[in-house]
Amino acid sequence: VDGVSRLVETGGLAGSTLTMDRAFRNILSLGYSIREAFIMASTNPARSVNADKFEKIGVLKPGYRADIVVLNRDYEVVMTMIEGHIVYRK
């Protein structure tokens, strides 16, 4: 309700509604570079669970999955690719 996730039974907070693109913009608003924000949003989470080695995600390089989110100049999602295939286009 109004951007807040709540439990039906008690009305207590149920979790976050923060989207990754909004989190990315928040990181940039703190003064971090686009490169630093990318590493925080993609590379570091993949490394933290070893997905960079086993799932081949978190970076763009040959042999990796090519899971890509394309952002516009306002850092809003305009396209998503999974394993190199477009799955969403605004």
Side-chain angles (χ1 to χ4, degrees), residues 24-78:
F24 189 85
R25 289 190 298 274
N26 289 348
I27 293 168
L28 294 174
S29 75
L30 295 172
Y32 290 96
S33 70
I34 293 172
R35 183 178 190 282
E36 291 169 318
F38 167 76
I39 291 168
M40 288 181 209
S42 181
T43 306
N44 287 347
R47 284 183 181 156
S48 74
V49 294
N50 287 325
D52 59 324
K53 293 183 176 110
F54 302 111
E55 300 291 327
K56 300 290 187 182
I57 61 173
V59 294
L60 294 176
K61 67 182 196 180
Y64 278 58
R65 286 181 35 167
D67 294 347
I68 302 167
V69 176
V70 179
L71 306 174
N72 65 16
R73 291 179 190 261
D74 295 320
Y75 305 107
E76 299 166 330
V77 177
V78 294

Side-chain angles (χ1 to χ4, degrees), residues 74-86:
D74 295 320
Y75 305 107
E76 299 166 330
V77 177
V78 294
M79 186 170 67
T80 304
M81 298 175 73
I82 297 176
E83 295 186 17
H85 301 285
I86 296 171

